[in-house]
Amino acid sequence: MRNATLWRALLGVEQTVIEDIDLDEDSAGRPGGEGSVVVACVRPLRSSRGRCGRCGRRSPWFDRGEGRRRWRTLDLGVLEVYLEADSPRVDCAVHGPTVRQVPWARHGAGHTRAFDDQVAWLATQCSKRAITELMRIAWRTVGSIITRVWADIDSAHDRFAGLRRIGIDEISYKRGFKYLTVVVDHDTGRLVWAAPGRDQATLHRFFDALDDSTPPEDPTPRSAAITHLSADGADWISVVTAQRCPRAVRCADAFHVVRWATEALDAVRREAWNTARRAAGGTRRDGHAHGQPRLIATGHARVLKRARWALWKNPENLTTRQRAKLDWIAKHDRRLHRAYLLKEGLRLIFQLDPAEAPHALNRWLAWAARSQLPPFITLARRIRRHRASILAAIDHNLSNGRIESVNTKIRLITRIAFGFRSPDALIALAMLNLGGHRPSLPGRT
């Protein structure tokens, strides 16, 4: 074969003998597409032959397997290119009869390493449509490729090394209550781990993986090295973390705590609106809708119905009209205004100096308990249960802010990944983007 070195460079293969290059003008046996393709007949170097495709151990020959097969590699100009070689099986002592290892492709793949790496890089940079049109593959094939590439990257890096402060949260990735549990490193902002589910068994899997990654020379499991942990008040997180890392400081996320207060405020607002609507003059008839008389809120009910955003927003972000609405509520509905002040009071506690926060929280709990507002009385009981973790969050200035940022990016990735057959491909794409080890283009360092 003349210019074999040139062809090895063009095809991006190493430890490979190029036997022949052919232009195959018959695409009948080629899956997908029409037209000519370049076929390079290759074989591994003698030194790299006879190895198990799974573990790389030298193994005796078993049989010819399925004969010759092809691997798709990067295009040359406008032509698709395939590598063609024998694919015999070896008898591995661990895995049994297995297709032998080839230096140009991962085990079980129909594409070369260079092709896989370029698709994985494009998946972190481009839209779904751009990848499928440029690489001439289906979107589900992209999911399989990035799963393989992430498995390779993960095996080459210790993603749990130096893990000290973590945040745990869940995110919906599909309709029908399909959730991912995600774990983020507070110190680096990396997505460390993700898996389908949001229950104790799922979180135990994370701690099992964390402990299994402990170096053999270290007698202490890595879960014992976790010093700080932030999460919302979900019981399934609290129970597991208390068992697996009992010495870690657990910090309640300020955003979730304030959201509890916002939900209690909204319950009081709905009660006030329903009371105003049922009062005399609270509604009027306005025509018919689908054969039924349509009732329109009037008076106080109309104002309260449109007061949600004025009550939810922080005071510094209110518009002039929203400030006027709050002034109206303060004059005409003392209960609702009291609920608003309780929500704002709890939010301001997280901005206090750690030395002042315990006393301020105690005063807020006493205020909520005697507020005569059932949603806030229930909230006060809930916050008493999480008092230690709330004060720890203020003391260590730790929240789920980084995790919420990662979750926002995962939601965008979820939209891009729509059409993947399994959550494993979505998780692999999220890890490639947010795990701190992005793939590089072939031939780049």
Side-chain angles (χ1 to χ4, degrees), residues 108-124:
H111 309 86
T112 64
R113 289 180 179 273
F115 190 94
D116 282 358
D117 293 344
Q118 179 154 311
V119 169
W121 183 87
L122 288 169
T124 64

Side-chain angles (χ1 to χ4, degrees), residues 362-399:
N362 290 338
R363 292 185 61 186
W364 187 92
L365 289 170
W367 182 20
R370 64 174 186 270
S371 65
Q372 299 181 355
L373 300 172
F376 279 91
I377 294 172
T378 303
L379 175 62
R381 297 194 194 102
R382 187 178 188 181
I383 288 180
R384 280 195 183 92
R385 294 197 303 269
H386 297 280
R387 183 179 183 278
S389 58
I390 290 173
L391 294 178
I394 297 172
D395 189 31
H396 297 280
N397 193 26
L398 202 65
S399 72

Side-chain angles (χ1 to χ4, degrees), residues 270-281:
R270 289 195 300 271
E271 180 185 355
W273 179 73
N274 284 323
T275 301
R277 185 170 59 89
R278 296 189 187 103

Side-chain angles (χ1 to χ4, degrees), residues 126-144:
C126 301
S127 68
K128 177 169 65 176
R129 184 181 181 89
I131 300 169
T132 54
E133 289 195 4
L134 176 64
M135 304 306 292
R136 293 188 269 204
I137 55 177
W139 181 241
R140 288 190 175 182
T141 305
V142 177
S144 302

